[in-house]
Amino acid sequence: MYLRITERRNKDGSTVTYYALAENAWNSKAKRSGARVIHSFGRADRIDRDALQRLVQSINRVLEGGDTVPAGAGRLPEIERIYDWGVVLAARHLWEDLGIGDAIRRRARDAELEAPHEAALFAMAAQRLDQPGSKLACAERWLPEGTWLPEAAGLKVDQLYRALDFLMVWSEEIERDVFLRAADLFRLDVDLIFYDTTTAYFEIDEADERDELWAGRLFAPLRRRGHSKEGRDHQPQVIVALAVTRDGMPVRSWVLPGNTADVTTVARIKEDLRAWRLGRCVFVGDAGMYSADNLKALSLGLGRYILAVPMRKVKDIEAEVLTRPGRYRQIADNLQVKEIWVGEAERRRRYVLCLNPEEAERQRCHREAVLAEIEAELALLERRDDDHPKAACDLMASRRHGRYLSTDGRGRPRLDAAKIKAAAAFDGKFVITSNDDSLSAEDLALGYKGAWIIESCFRRMKQTGLQVRPMFHWSARRIVAQVKLCVLALQIQRAAEIRCALPWARIADQLDALKVVRYQLESRTIVQRTKIIEELAVTLKKLGVSTPKQVLTVAEPAPALAAP
């Protein structure tokens, strides 16, 4: 609850100010919090100041101990600004708990740097969690106008960019320190490491061609054209790779050129993770990682893996796995498995065929709808006199319809019963393979199903929160630093969710109720937090944040200079 000040500009250019008692409340329809006026005091120039003074005095009488307003507060305060503080307060606590601040300060000391890199990096990470925006918006609007963050006061845009350069240089060491601290703090299960890649495109026409030389280091061009997972193959992009635990805590991140194929990244990722000595670690990846070279690379040094198999590209699947008789075993509400071995001796390979009955029914209904469309199109073609109408060619070339068609003796399209039956054999099924015989079929299936967590991490980074793009950086080092910064913010976000067992959107909404008010009272400038309601107090306790004192700072007026 706080004193809300609003202004209205008249047609003649004059401004009218209004006072109201307000609080932040959740709007279930808009899915966000907003100000709710509890009582309106009216226009500032017509307000009953004596009545407000009596209200302040009555509030002072119920305050106890250290939570008292400084003497003289019976006079009506002149509010200068109201700042957001809840998200920043929680982020600062987790920043230190995860060891991010300590890791950055240690590297700055090693490099004998005195620039405020740690404060700048925290400000940019907190902005990602609160109101994602550009570095310019962070320095010129978010910091000075909307957020209470005294240690970052006065930071300029160039200082933020220099902090990004510092993060790029030391990112590997910082990521390692933070992950090992988080693994111990949250007792993370690091037996399964999920790995996947995504793409982030740029609003530019031409791909980068030249290497970048900076501080004696050579950076290969990153913004290249390649297969886009966002459907933008015509635009230059970068590949963002991420390894996470089954709890969704990022382990390490990579930024690769946009023309890098998924199947070529595994050997490097495995070596980078091995250097961290995570102990027994099973690598989990999707079908895009499946290749003979990757299976060999993952197996080196007794490495263990769980990989999805591209069913339509591996001969064993249609010939041996899908046709093998045997019963499925129910291991979850909507998941059944069947273990199959193909080959003999050293060539023997283990597959686990998984069936999702609900997905199988959905795919069957979808196929029936497509077949009905095809039959309608074929009926129209039968009425035409020409043997090779363009519509027939379009139907055969269609990705949606062509898979179920073949041609008759006249070269006309017709439904192919064999193709329809073959397609039905894949309904609701996926196949995984592993070289770890100590894991049961149930363990393998449930372990792979847990890979949804990394897709969730990518959605957070790209779409629903941290907004890793749009990226306006053009140099390779700044692009890498931007991704690393978002990963630090993601670690804070996941740490909060693990502790509160709530989604970040709900946690942030509760934290948003905590404000900081700066006001003038009898020539003194006082900074004071708003009241902590019960729901917010519970959230802060789960996060491990101690209740902050009510009065944060009191600045006495500067003494007047004596006359000469």
Side-chain angles (χ1 to χ4, degrees):
M1 193 176 300
Y2 57 94
L3 187 64
R4 186 167 182 253
I5 302 175
T6 57
E7 294 183 347
R8 187 193 71 193
R9 185 175 296 277
N10 296 325
K11 293 182 179 180
D12 59 1
S14 62
T15 301
V16 180
T17 302
Y18 294 86
Y19 290 157
L21 189 64
E23 67 176 359
N24 283 318
W26 177 254
N27 187 328
S28 57
K29 293 184 179 180
K31 302 297 182 183
R32 59 182 177 84
S33 62
R36 180 172 63 190
V37 174
I38 299 174
H39 176 74
S40 176
F41 294 111
R43 290 177 52 159
D45 57 345
R46 300 177 183 175
I47 200 167
D48 186 351
R49 302 180 68 87
D50 292 336
L52 278 180
Q53 289 176 0
R54 289 193 296 271
L55 175 61
V56 173
Q57 290 170 352
S58 67
I59 293 175
N60 289 337
R61 282 197 297 270
V62 299
L63 294 177
E64 298 177 357
D67 285 344
T68 58
V69 177
R75 304 175 66 88
L76 183 65
E78 297 180 7
I79 296 179
E80 295 182 344
R81 191 174 294 278
I82 298 175
Y83 300 94
D84 294 328
W85 194 39
V87 171
V88 172
L89 177 66
R92 169 55 81 179
H93 175 79
L94 293 171
W95 178 269
E96 297 299 335
D97 245 18
L98 291 170
I100 302 175
D102 182 64
I104 294 172
R105 291 189 292 268
R106 190 182 317 132
R107 268 66 197 189
R109 289 195 299 269
D110 292 345
E112 299 181 351
L113 298 174
E114 297 182 357
H117 291 325
E118 190 266 339
L121 290 171
F122 172 73
M124 290 185 286
Q127 183 207 19
R128 290 281 149 190
L129 294 167
D130 187 26
Q131 298 176 13
S134 66
K135 308 303 176 290
L136 182 64
C138 180
E140 296 188 356
R141 291 191 295 276
W142 187 78
L143 276 174
E145 297 180 3
T147 305
W148 176 250
L149 191 56
E151 60 265 41
L155 286 177
K156 305 300 181 184
V157 177
D158 62 324
Q159 292 175 300
L160 301 185
Y161 282 123
R162 287 199 294 271
L164 285 178
D165 293 338
F166 170 85
L167 176 62
M168 187 278 305
V169 172
W170 296 98
S171 60
E172 182 177 340
E173 292 81 358
I174 292 171
E175 277 187 330
R176 182 180 186 277
D177 290 353
V178 172
F179 171 71
L180 295 179
R181 174 74 174 269
D184 180 62
L185 184 66
F186 295 100
R187 299 181 180 180
L188 299 176
D189 183 355
V190 297
D191 278 353
L192 290 183
I193 299 296
F194 299 101
Y195 170 78
D196 201 358
T197 63
T198 188
T199 57
Y201 65 89
F202 291 79
E203 299 287 356
I204 58 174
D205 295 327
E206 300 298 329
D208 295 335
E209 299 295 339
R210 297 182 180 179
D211 294 340
E212 177 191 357
L213 182 62
W214 177 79
R217 299 178 59 176
L218 193 64
F219 294 87
L222 291 178
R223 300 185 298 180
R224 309 298 293 270
R225 287 188 176 87
H227 173 65
S228 172
K229 298 185 179 182
E230 300 167 290
R232 293 175 175 266
D233 291 346
H234 61 287
Q235 289 180 286
Q237 63 181 15
V238 296
I239 303 293
V240 178
L242 193 62
V244 306
T245 68
R246 68 166 76 220
D247 302 285
M249 183 63 73
V251 178
R252 192 166 176 180
S253 60
W254 297 263
V255 183
L256 308 169
N259 57 356
T260 305
D262 284 353
V263 294
T264 66
T265 65
V266 170
R268 172 184 170 182
I269 290 351
K270 182 175 182 291
E271 288 302 315
D272 287 349
L273 292 178
R274 177 189 292 177
W276 286 15
R277 300 178 181 178
L278 296 178
R280 184 181 183 276
C281 174
V282 181
F283 181 97
V284 184
D286 65 10
M289 309 296 164
Y290 187 93
S291 71
D293 290 340
N294 281 350
L295 296 181
K296 180 179 179 181
L298 290 171
S299 300
L300 293 176
L302 301 179
R304 297 290 180 257
Y305 61 80
I306 301 173
L307 285 182
V309 180
M311 295 195 295
R312 299 179 187 273
K313 297 181 180 179
V314 178
K315 294 181 179 180
D316 287 346
I317 302 303
E318 283 195 81
E320 299 282 351
V321 177
L322 295 179
T323 59
R324 185 71 60 90
R327 293 185 176 181
Y328 288 97
R329 297 196 303 274
Q330 188 87 23
I331 64 170
D333 291 341
N334 202 35
L335 183 61
Q336 303 172 16
V337 300
K338 180 166 59 175
E339 187 172 13
I340 298 167
W341 292 87
V342 176
E344 297 180 356
E346 294 182 356
R347 294 180 178 272
R348 191 173 70 157
R349 184 169 296 282
R350 182 191 188 192
Y351 295 103
V352 175
L353 177 60
C354 304
L355 172 64
N356 182 331
E358 289 185 4
E359 180 64 15
E361 178 64 18
R362 188 195 68 80
Q363 292 178 0
R364 185 188 67 80
C365 293
H366 173 75
R367 184 172 56 257
E368 289 182 352
V370 173
L371 293 177
E373 293 175 7
I374 296 175
E375 290 175 347
E377 292 290 336
L378 293 177
L380 292 175
L381 290 175
E382 283 295 327
R383 301 192 187 103
R384 300 178 67 110
D385 296 331
D386 47 335
D387 290 337
H388 298 286
K390 183 177 183 299
C393 297
D394 292 340
L395 195 62
M396 291 293 297
S398 168
R399 295 182 62 182
R400 178 180 175 86
H401 301 136
R403 68 179 66 182
Y404 303 114
L405 296 171
S406 59
T407 56
D408 58 17
R410 295 186 302 162
R412 291 230 177 181
R414 65 176 180 85
L415 285 173
D416 191 321
K419 289 185 177 181
I420 296 173
K421 182 179 179 181
F426 290 89
D427 286 353
K429 297 173 183 175
F430 62 93
V431 178
I432 55 179
T433 187
S434 175
N435 66 343
D436 192 341
D437 296 343
S438 67
L439 296 175
S440 66
E442 291 84 351
D443 291 335
L444 294 178
L446 293 175
Y448 176 73
K449 288 291 285 184
W452 66 269
I453 192 69
I454 195 167
E455 296 296 335
S456 173
C457 290
F458 281 138
R459 282 195 300 274
R460 293 162 184 265
M461 289 182 64
K462 294 171 59 177
Q463 300 168 0
T464 61
L466 303 178
Q467 294 184 14
V468 70
R469 65 161 313 278
M471 276 191 282
F472 300 102
H473 304 293
W474 59 269
S475 62
R477 70 180 194 277
R478 295 272 171 81
I479 294 171
V480 173
Q482 168 80 354
V483 173
K484 299 293 185 180
L485 180 71
C486 288
V487 171
L488 290 180
L490 179 61
Q491 288 176 314
I492 294 174
Q493 193 178 91
R494 283 299 301 145
E497 291 179 331
I498 291 172
R499 287 186 171 179
C500 296
L502 289 172
W504 173 253
R506 186 61 179 157
I507 297 171
D509 174 67
Q510 294 174 2
L511 294 172
D512 192 54
L514 184 58
K515 308 289 184 181
V516 165
V517 182
R518 188 180 71 197
Y519 60 92
Q520 290 282 342
L521 187 62
E522 292 189 347
S523 302
R524 289 179 294 182
T525 301
I526 301 171
V527 178
Q528 180 176 332
R529 66 164 171 82
T530 56
K531 180 182 177 181
I532 297 178
I533 59 177
E534 182 178 357
E535 186 181 31
L536 175 58
V538 172
T539 299
L540 292 177
K541 184 177 181 180
K542 290 180 179 179
L543 292 172
V545 180
S546 301
T547 303
K549 60 183 181 179
Q550 184 172 1
V551 178
L552 302 177
T553 64
V554 178
E556 298 291 343
L561 296 176

